[in-house]
Amino acid sequence: MPQPGSRLRIVDELGAAKTLAPGHEVVTRAESPDWLVLGLGPDPRALAATLPPGARVRYLECPEFLAQTDAAWRAAIPAAWTPVASLDPVLAACANILLYRQAGTLFPRFWSPIQAALLLPVVPPDAPCREKIALLPRDTGGLVAPGITAGFEAEGFTVRVVDRAGLLACLERERPALFFSVNFTGLDRHGEVQALLARAGVPVVVWCVDNPFHCLSGVKTTAWRDVTLCVTDDWFVAPLTRHGARAVHHLPLAADPAFFTARPDRPELAGKLLFVGRSAFPDKELFFSGSRLDPALWDEAMAMLVRGERPDFGWWEKRLGAASLWPGRDARRVGYGAEESGQAWRRLVIREAARTGKLAVCGDAAWRGLVEAPFAWLPPVPYHEALPGLYASAQAVVGAVSPLLPHGLTQRHFDVWAAGGCLLTDHTPGLALFPSELTGPITYRTARDIPDLAQRLSQDAEALKDAWRELIAAHHTYRHRIRSVLEWVAEEGGRGNRGETFL
């Protein structure tokens, strides 16, 4: 056993050394002498002293935990205690259950399914088809939630919005087809929700509409590798696969249905260029706390932007020599360089577009202090209610893709055309999603090119608008994206990874 004053240290699931603290809690109290101990903790002898005399004890311990204990620790386990290799539902139903609090944070991939089995002891019966029900977490917010809901409903699905408290009751009474998360919303850090869904046989799909490694930076279990992972930027397919993801698919952004009904309603924007975007994402400083920029790398990145080159997430990863993008802080260190490059790029784009003398910027007030250029400032507007009208009203919308997504696109690549507007976009490999005859006339490579491009487009924009709008409606709506997701989940189920199909 550890010497007095010392603490047992264990290397956890993610490879970090952790000091064990004492602490068990009673999960289930029963009128029975039978006890089931889930995780023995740092001192089995001290634990035994807390149990009532005559207790009949069985215990379950994580094999990775046991492999790191020494002979003295193992000798402290009372000889009368019986080890079990798995959770016995009959015993769990009638025994007092004692859980080591820290167990689930040390080895969540092992313990989360155990906790799920306690919560959902009776698995729904097998059936040839699941119900056409899609579960969306209640905290799915942002721009894409209404479009996702509309996409599922267009495919004949009922959408259930659930929170963690209501998920168990839902799984007890229904057999949903899948759980659809955006950026891991609705899924906790240690995989407990994912394990509960797996217990019920419900496939989990995660669509990362932002940088996937930023989304993953708060995840503390390797279980994320088992979900069906979708990314808006195909650059991330290879690195996510290298980090252990089992199934990664390219699922681009899409047009929201609300934009197709847009009408020009802001006459003051007629004949003007419009830039829409925020100067930084919320809580940026907190997310990147402790991150710093290398001055030499920053100068190199700024020179690239002037030349129309992209110091993107992949570039910063190589230049910083990041060993691994998950787990750890390297993804945020890399992302900080890309995010700062993105703000610098947007400043440059606004400055050059303002040379036309007819630029409006819709975004947070910080832009007025960040860019010394003549433009009309408009405060942020509600996305679904007001933004379509702005896009339809302007001569053209000037877009700038964030370097956080090396092959990325933005909502504007879909929504502007759906609204009947015209987009000027910087060059990004993500434009390969569309026909080159449509992207060529609207693309600028350096910010200096924006005024000339805007002038050329003012003469023949109407034909481009019609062609783009037809393309988006035919191939790039949320219904198209949801249809792809359903096909992938069905295919993976057919290979034995998921179980039932439901198409």
Side-chain angles (χ1 to χ4, degrees), residues 36 67 86 89 132 146 148 161 185 196 207 221 246 261 344 355 384 436 446:
L36 176 60
S86 61
K132 295 188 77 170
I148 291 169
V161 177
T185 55
L196 185 61
W207 189 19
T221 173
R246 180 186 54 77
T261 62
R355 289 199 294 114
H384 293 93
S436 58
T446 73

Side-chain angles (χ1 to χ4, degrees), residues 128 130 177 201-205 226 228 246-247 249 485-503:
R130 288 192 167 273
V202 178
V204 176
V205 179
D226 297 332
T228 296
R246 180 186 54 77
H249 303 277
V485 168
L486 297 175
E487 290 172 355
W488 293 329
V489 173
E491 289 170 4
E492 290 164 20
R495 292 196 299 266
N497 293 331
R498 295 294 184 200
E500 303 90 350
T501 60
F502 47 84
L503 294 179

